[in-house]
Amino acid sequence: MEDVSRVVNCQPPHYCIGEQAIVAAGGIEGIKKLVTAFYHNMDTLIEAEPMREIQKGDRGTYIDNLINLFFVWIGGRKSIIQQGYEHMTVFSVAITREQKTAWLFCLQQALDEQDYEELYKRFVMVQLSIYAEMCCQ
């Protein structure tokens, strides 16, 4: 039987704590690349249609918020506060389960396009799945 987890190392990952999670993504440039891939998926994948309904218009704010979400939620930083943001949100409204699924699908596709360790991809998905669940109605 094939090991579907694709996890081959049983050592605790170095990126579970703070800044190392950002380093594992390739720093700010790696996160920007991931976010660019994510929004390409949001714009092109049929599965993303439910999310396009609520993320219309200028993507600049959404992109900045998602980049900052990575720094705060994944990296444990307080970069949003340091940059003058009053609150951390990627969604302007509460999202439905269907929208959450679409958002996470786009994220998984974007992660799969990156040259990250499989365990790191799973780490990011788990962390941001928790965030997305907290944003559900």
Side-chain angles (χ1 to χ4, degrees):
M1 178 179 277
E2 180 185 356
D3 178 7
V4 295
S5 74
R6 295 186 231 159
V7 176
V8 294
N9 185 349
C10 293
Q11 297 292 328
H14 62 280
Y15 45 76
C16 283
I17 301 173
E19 291 293 314
Q20 291 305 311
I22 302 303
V23 171
I28 184 68
E29 292 307 315
I31 291 171
K32 285 180 180 179
K33 183 179 173 189
L34 176 63
V35 170
T36 298
F38 171 84
Y39 275 106
H40 173 76
N41 293 335
M42 284 282 291
D43 290 338
T44 60
L45 297 176
I46 190 76
E47 294 88 349
E49 186 62 38
M51 278 307 298
R52 285 196 287 268
E53 296 170 12
I54 66 167
Q55 291 199 343
K56 295 178 182 175
D58 178 31
R59 283 281 165 82
T61 300
Y62 293 116
I63 289 169
D64 289 345
N65 285 349
L66 188 53
I67 289 169
N68 278 295
L69 177 65
F70 268 87
F71 277 95
V72 174
W73 198 266
I74 301 294
R77 277 191 177 180
K78 304 222 184 307
S79 65
I80 286 181
I81 295 167
Q82 292 167 353
Q83 293 181 20
Y85 290 85
E86 293 179 14
H87 56 6
M88 176 178 66
T89 184
V90 173
F91 312 115
S92 56
V93 296
I95 59 173
T96 65
R97 296 260 174 238
E98 181 184 32
Q99 290 166 329
K100 177 188 107 171
T101 300
W103 190 81
L104 290 172
F105 181 80
C106 290
L107 178 61
Q108 182 64 64
Q109 296 302 308
L111 283 165
D112 287 344
E113 296 170 19
Q114 309 309 306
D115 188 29
Y116 298 155
E117 294 176 25
E118 284 299 317
L119 191 56
Y120 181 72
K121 292 176 187 180
R122 302 217 178 208
F123 169 76
V124 171
M125 281 302 295
V126 167
Q127 294 301 311
L128 292 181
S129 293
I130 294 167
Y131 173 79
E133 183 63 29
M134 290 171 52
C135 294
C136 271
Q137 304 178 5

